[in-house]
Amino acid sequence: MIKAMIVDDKTAAIELLRWIIKEKCPDISSVVSAISVSEALPLIENFKPDLVFLDIQMPQQSGFDLLSAIKKWNFEVVFTTAYNEFAIQAIRFSALDYLLKPVQADELVKAVERFKVKRIYAPAGEELYRNFLQNVSARQKRLALPGVNDIKYVELEDIIRLQAERNYTRFFFADGKEFLSAKTLKEYEEMLNDAGFVRVHRTHLVNTRFIKAYEREGVLLLKDDSEVEVSRRKKEQLVKYLKTI
């Protein structure tokens, strides 16, 4: 069974999460809550939660302050936030989870299910959150790639292209190595859309830094001498994009 903790400065938000958990999440056996970072820290140590629903924006000290104060990671975090703020990109880059407020019951249930799957990454938890805290403030963000059994951290400039493999995505790197991530290409397209990556085919997402040439017959040549097919419906969009860079 799962022990959960809610950290939020608004009691109404806490009560909503408690109600959804009680009604929809039978795997969660017990729930405690805190309304501030100072109240949450000793509670984490004593209660030892498996899963923490953490509000990002709180007065005096934020959810980030709580994470920075944690010395030993034995739990997962699902961030909660009232609006689509800048931190969400850092959360997604770090292979972490979040819920938008007001939290919907079906979304919370999905988050709990994702947590149950992610437990295989438990040993990597501390590094995941340290990477997240770095991504919040860093201009160059490091992408955390959840694999089948491990986590790989990569710099965006080292990624040449991404290729869909059903519900997985294969990454190709400048050093010739590959990595299979347990996320879909669509998820990475949404994540990397503003980071110099362009979708050129149903199964291909390319880092524009590595484009060498575009052949009229619909083939993109990359700097590692690989070739990627450009779909008919993506050709016009790609040509317009290349003219801007």
Side-chain angles (χ1 to χ4, degrees):
M1 299 299 281
I2 300 167
K3 296 167 64 179
M5 179 174 172
I6 304 167
V7 183
D8 198 304
D9 65 298
K10 295 180 175 59
T11 55
I14 291 175
E15 291 308 312
L16 175 60
L17 284 181
R18 279 186 176 276
W19 181 84
I20 296 174
I21 289 169
K22 181 180 178 182
E23 296 294 320
K24 303 288 186 180
C25 303
D27 288 333
I28 296 181
S29 58
S30 54
V31 182
V32 297
S33 60
I35 60 171
S36 66
V37 171
S38 59
E39 187 177 311
L41 284 170
L43 193 55
I44 287 174
E45 187 172 341
N46 295 324
F47 180 65
K48 295 180 172 52
D50 302 301
L51 178 60
V52 175
F53 295 96
L54 177 61
D55 185 20
I56 293 177
Q57 293 291 342
M58 292 185 288
Q60 299 171 339
Q61 289 182 293
S62 71
F64 303 146
D65 294 318
L66 175 63
L67 294 182
S68 298
I70 297 295
K71 292 182 172 59
K72 188 174 182 181
W73 296 88
N74 294 308
F75 57 88
E76 286 284 344
V77 171
V78 173
F79 295 95
T80 59
T81 178
Y83 55 97
N84 208 332
E85 57 191 276
F86 79 97
I88 287 180
Q89 186 188 38
I91 292 170
R92 298 184 73 188
F93 264 57
S94 307
L96 301 176
D97 208 353
Y98 69 93
L99 293 168
L100 289 175
K101 292 181 177 180
V103 174
Q104 303 299 309
D106 60 335
E107 293 301 321
L108 189 145
V109 170
K110 290 176 185 175
V112 172
E113 290 302 312
R114 288 192 294 268
F115 159 74
K116 287 156 66 177
V117 173
K118 281 178 65 179
R119 277 181 155 181
I120 62 171
Y121 303 127
E126 182 170 351
E127 189 173 359
L128 270 176
Y129 291 108
R130 297 301 176 204
N131 182 60
F132 164 69
L133 290 171
Q134 177 182 318
N135 281 345
V136 169
S137 57
R139 176 176 291 182
Q140 295 294 328
K141 293 178 172 52
R142 195 170 62 148
L143 188 62
L145 305 180
V148 178
N149 296 304
D150 60 348
I151 299 281
K152 182 179 178 66
Y153 299 90
V154 301
E155 305 293 338
L156 297 187
E157 59 265 28
D158 294 332
I159 303 169
I160 296 177
R161 62 187 177 93
L162 297 76
Q163 182 174 319
E165 293 189 10
R166 295 188 179 182
N167 290 326
Y168 295 83
T169 301
R170 186 170 298 279
F171 280 72
F172 296 83
F173 300 103
D175 62 4
K177 294 181 180 178
E178 301 176 13
F179 185 82
L180 187 65
S181 173
K183 282 182 178 288
T184 65
L185 187 65
K186 179 176 175 56
E187 290 178 272
Y188 284 116
E189 179 185 14
E190 293 171 354
M191 204 181 304
L192 300 172
N193 188 46
D194 296 323
F197 288 75
V198 61
R199 186 78 170 259
V200 298
H201 189 275
R202 178 175 56 83
T203 59
H204 297 296
L205 186 67
V206 172
N207 187 342
T208 56
R209 300 175 185 87
F210 287 91
I211 294 177
K212 182 163 64 175
Y214 174 62
E215 301 291 340
R216 289 190 177 182
E217 60 267 26
V219 175
L220 201 59
L221 304 179
L222 304 179
K223 292 179 181 177
D224 66 339
D225 294 326
S226 62
E227 298 181 356
V228 174
E229 180 185 357
V230 179
S231 68
R232 287 185 179 180
R233 121 184 132 81
K234 294 289 186 182
K235 283 181 183 178
E236 185 178 348
Q237 178 184 345
L238 176 63
V239 170
K240 284 182 180 179
Y241 183 85
L242 292 177
K243 286 180 179 178
T244 66
I245 61 175

